[in-house]
Amino acid sequence: MAPRAGQPEQRGPLLPGLLLVAAALSRPAAPCPFQCYCFGGPKLLLRCASGAELRQPPRDVPPDARNLTIVGANLTVLRAAAFAGGDADGEEVAAAAGGVRLPLLSALRLTHNNIEVVEDGAFDGLPSLTALDLSHNPLRALGGGAFRGLPALRSLQLNHALARGGPTLLAALDAALAQLDELRLLGLAGNALSRLPPAALRLPRLEQLDARLNALWGLGPEELRALERDGGLPAPRLLLADNPLRCGCAARPLLAWLRNATERVPDARRLRCAAPRALHDRPFLDLDKARLGCADGDADGRGEEVELAGPELEASYVFFGLVLALIGLIFLMVLYLNRRGIQRWMRNLREACRDQMEGYHYRYEQDADPRRAPAPAAPAGSRATSPGSGF
């Protein structure tokens, strides 16, 4: 029916109906996991902070997720294929695309989740993963194949995560790192390491190794040689600040290496000596090789270091001796020029002491004379009698 002339055309109910039809025909978006936050955009970002009740990675992560962050959970154990359908008992569940549920995931952050164990193949099914962060977890056990199946991994952060594992964990870490040929960045800060994992130094494409806040005494010749690359590959940068360097003869190779490749260690100016006591808190780069000495019979430098006397130290000792000799000469000259006054002062002091002693002697003789003893006092109840009283 055509509208009458002069009446407005009624289009109000038509527009909402079209919107409802379009919404019904459109493909629904993948739901966000429970207690997680999903941020849309060119790369889907998920952040899950579920607390202690989250004991395994969420199963309902959208397959088009690109970035996944889980912070503050209680994962404790990352079992095999934990992000590709593996259940809590370690049994793998078949998933689409050959067990790969998250084919586009490129960044995985698992910090502060109380993770203690990472089993072999824990990250299987993540072929696109390029960045993995396990920092601030109390790791105690790590499988030698924990990072297998990560051909695209470029960045691995293990800061403040290895201090509780001991030598066994470090051996397993060395085996796990040997499989990461494409790794570019490795973070090992704050782990109380007394030596660097050998596999970390041999990674062919490593660009930066963060070893700050550890217990490194230094780097030996073998470790320095392992940092060099053959075939035109760039050598990695090394961060070494806040390590207790022992500035003995064992530190001479490191000192020579740093002076020839200062750009390889951006924080080289922050390196300071922790031992020996004579060089405590001294800038490492400001030292001279002549001042880096070892105790007798200690060729490897692991014993107590001693400081060799360099030219500057010998000159300071000579100057100090000359000053003491000059002070003694001045003192003797003053005594010679005032010898008469000193003699007069000594004579007066001797006479004063003699007069004082004579006064003490005279007083002692007076007190010891029996004739000067005082008369006994009369009884309190007796009456004084006169000569003519008759009694």
Side-chain angles (χ1 to χ4, degrees):
M1 178 178 180
R4 297 180 182 179
Q7 292 182 353
E9 185 176 359
Q10 297 179 358
R11 297 182 179 178
L14 182 59
L15 183 58
L18 293 176
L19 294 177
L20 290 176
V21 173
L25 295 178
S26 63
R27 182 181 178 182
C32 189
F34 179 66
Q35 291 186 345
C36 295
Y37 301 94
C38 297
F39 304 91
K43 295 183 179 180
L44 186 61
L45 171 65
L46 286 83
R47 180 180 178 88
C48 304
S50 301
E53 66 274 8
L54 184 62
R55 296 183 178 274
Q56 58 180 334
R59 299 297 186 82
D60 48 354
V61 177
D64 56 350
R66 305 293 183 90
N67 295 273
L68 175 59
T69 297
I70 303 177
V71 178
N74 191 24
L75 302 182
T76 309
V77 179
L78 290 182
R79 301 191 182 276
F83 297 88
D87 61 8
D89 297 328
E91 299 178 359
E92 296 186 5
V93 178
V100 178
R101 286 198 306 114
L102 303 173
L104 302 179
L105 190 68
S106 61
L108 179 59
R109 183 186 178 203
L110 302 174
T111 60
H112 300 279
N113 287 307
N114 198 30
I115 299 174
E116 297 183 1
V117 179
V118 179
E119 295 184 351
D120 291 340
F123 305 101
D124 283 351
L126 303 177
S128 301
L129 192 66
T130 60
L132 175 61
D133 192 349
L134 291 171
S135 300
H136 297 279
N137 283 291
L139 292 179
R140 299 181 184 275
L142 181 70
F147 305 130
R148 74 185 184 193
L150 297 177
L153 193 64
R154 301 292 191 274
S155 173
L156 176 60
Q157 300 297 326
L158 295 170
N159 303 317
H160 302 276
L162 307 173
R164 299 184 181 183
T168 304
L169 178 61
L170 296 181
L173 174 64
D174 197 62
L177 292 176
Q179 307 174 18
L180 302 177
D181 293 336
E182 299 296 327
L183 196 65
R184 304 294 200 275
L185 303 177
L186 178 58
L188 298 176
N191 287 314
L193 299 177
S194 59
R195 63 178 182 87
L196 295 177
L201 303 177
R202 294 192 300 264
L203 291 173
R205 288 177 170 80
L206 189 66
E207 297 178 358
Q208 179 170 304
L209 174 58
D210 187 356
R212 295 171 297 173
L213 287 170
N214 280 291
L216 299 176
W217 292 353
L219 297 179
E222 296 182 359
E223 294 172 314
L224 296 176
R225 282 194 297 268
L227 287 171
E228 304 301 328
R229 295 292 182 266
D230 298 330
L233 294 175
R237 293 184 301 172
L238 190 62
L239 301 179
L240 288 174
D242 302 314
N243 277 286
L245 299 182
R246 299 187 67 175
C247 299
C249 60
R252 293 177 183 177
L254 177 60
L255 181 60
W257 182 79
L258 284 175
R259 289 178 175 172
N260 294 328
T262 308
E263 70 282 355
R264 299 265 303 274
V265 184
D267 56 358
R269 290 294 174 185
R270 294 175 54 190
L271 299 180
R272 294 184 176 274
C273 299
R277 184 177 301 178
L279 299 177
H280 180 71
D281 206 33
R282 290 287 301 274
F284 184 63
L285 284 180
D286 293 345
L287 297 179
D288 188 7
K289 282 187 177 181
R291 306 192 65 180
L292 301 179
C294 299
D296 295 338
D298 191 9
D300 59 354
R302 294 294 181 179
E304 187 67 22
E305 292 87 352
V306 296
E307 181 184 5
L308 296 180
E312 297 179 359
L313 188 60
E314 293 178 357
S316 62
Y317 286 156
V318 172
F319 178 75
F320 183 67
L322 292 176
V323 170
L324 289 180
L326 181 60
I327 293 175
L329 182 61
I330 294 175
F331 180 73
L332 293 176
M333 185 177 297
V334 170
L335 291 179
Y336 177 76
L337 295 177
N338 293 276
R339 60 187 184 281
R340 297 191 180 186
I342 294 174
Q343 292 176 357
R344 188 182 309 111
W345 178 77
M346 293 294 295
R347 186 169 52 252
N348 294 337
L349 180 62
R350 185 170 56 254
E351 292 177 356
C353 292
R354 186 176 56 224
D355 295 343
Q356 189 72 17
M357 294 302 297
E358 289 178 355
Y360 285 147
H361 182 69
Y362 177 76
R363 189 177 303 171
Y364 176 77
E365 290 179 352
Q366 293 293 328
D367 294 340
D369 191 356
R371 294 175 299 178
R372 298 182 59 85
S382 61
R383 294 189 308 170
T385 56
S386 61
S389 59
F391 291 97

